């Protein structure tokens, strides 16, 4: 199936290697073209490395090989990758709860040809200064007692809405 929309994911300061592994598996399932990791997010093992650390083993265990299917890059500073993908013409969307957020299934988002989705820290989310640099902020409404999803579950819900909602309605 050919996708008309190029989607990349930016994962900044994700603490859990299990979440990074789940992100690679989720990205593979939804046809994401690349993952950019930044800050203190753990990174997958590279073949030329001397050994696998505990986090890399956890990523492999959770990703089940998807970390080998999805190209990825690491940047110590989020601002570097944001600047790069903005120059490449990507529409920048933070997946975050905010007074300025729009519905996660918004038609404008679904029709963008190049979409970059920013995911933030599991507890702290995306910093307010970074949110100001986004083209949009999207939020998934919560109906239960908890006020948020796990960051990778939220990403999967968002990607499902982007990939599978009727794009012509």
């Amino acid at each position: 199936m050919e996708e008309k929309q190029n989607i990349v994911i930016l994962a900044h300061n994700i603490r859990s290697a299990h979440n990074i592994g789940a992100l690679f598996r989720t990205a593979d399932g939804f046809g994401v073209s690349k993952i950019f990791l930044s800050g203190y997010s753990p990174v997958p093992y590279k073949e030329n490395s001397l050994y696998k650390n505990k986090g890399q083993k956890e990523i492999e265990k959770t990703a089940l090989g998807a970390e080998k299917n999805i190209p990825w890059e690491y940047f110590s500073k989020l601002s570097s990758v944001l600047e790069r993908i903005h120059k490449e013409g990507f529409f920048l969307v933070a997946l975050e709860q905010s007074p300025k957020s729009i519905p996660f299934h918004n038609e404008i988002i679904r029709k963008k040809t190049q979409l970059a989705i920013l995911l933030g820290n599991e507890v702290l989310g995306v910093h307010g200064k970074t949110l100001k640099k986004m083209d949009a902020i999207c939020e998934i409404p919560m109906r239960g007692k908890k006020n948020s999803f796990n960051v990778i579950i939220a990403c999967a819900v968002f990607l499902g809405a982007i990939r599978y909602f009727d794009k012509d309605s």
Side-chain angles (χ1 to χ4, degrees):
M1 176 171 67
E2 185 180 329
E3 297 291 347
K4 295 178 182 177
Q5 191 175 45
N6 181 20
I7 297 176
V8 299
I9 295 175
L10 295 80
H12 182 64
N13 286 343
I14 303 295
R15 299 175 308 163
S16 166
H18 291 286
N19 276 341
I20 295 296
L23 177 61
F24 273 89
R25 195 163 169 195
T26 300
D28 187 51
F30 282 108
V32 168
S33 61
K34 190 167 193 171
I35 295 175
F36 295 93
L37 302 166
S38 65
Y40 52 76
S41 299
V43 298
Y45 173 76
K46 285 191 174 182
E47 293 301 320
N48 59 354
S49 300
L50 295 176
Y51 68 95
K52 290 180 191 172
N53 64 35
K54 181 181 175 187
Q56 291 166 330
K57 290 175 185 176
E58 290 175 357
I59 289 170
E60 284 185 355
K61 182 178 180 181
T62 310
L64 295 175
E67 78 284 3
K68 296 173 184 162
N69 299 340
I70 302 288
W72 63 273
E73 282 185 65
Y74 172 78
F75 290 80
S76 59
K77 294 184 178 185
L78 177 61
S79 58
S80 300
V81 68
L82 285 175
E83 184 177 313
R84 175 179 157 184
I85 62 172
H86 185 69
K87 285 180 182 176
E88 292 176 10
F90 280 87
F91 188 81
L92 305 174
V93 177
L95 189 53
E96 184 61 83
Q97 295 173 329
S98 165
K100 296 183 178 182
S101 61
I102 60 175
F104 73 105
H105 52 77
N106 187 285
E107 181 180 342
I108 294 167
I109 306 297
R110 294 191 333 258
K111 291 187 176 183
K112 295 296 177 185
T113 57
Q114 295 211 106
L115 186 63
I117 304 165
L118 174 61
L119 308 175
N121 177 273
E122 293 94 330
V123 175
L124 303 173
V126 177
H127 192 277
K129 289 181 182 178
T130 303
L131 289 177
K132 291 178 182 177
K133 298 177 183 177
M134 298 292 108
D135 296 313
I137 304 166
C138 288
E139 181 174 349
I140 301 167
M142 300 300 298
R143 299 196 187 275
K145 293 181 181 178
K146 289 295 188 180
N147 65 354
S148 67
F149 287 108
N150 166 281
V151 65
I152 307 310
I153 298 297
C155 182
V157 169
F158 184 73
L159 286 169
I162 295 302
R163 287 290 197 217
Y164 302 117
F165 270 52
D166 180 9
K167 293 187 182 212
D168 296 323
S169 62

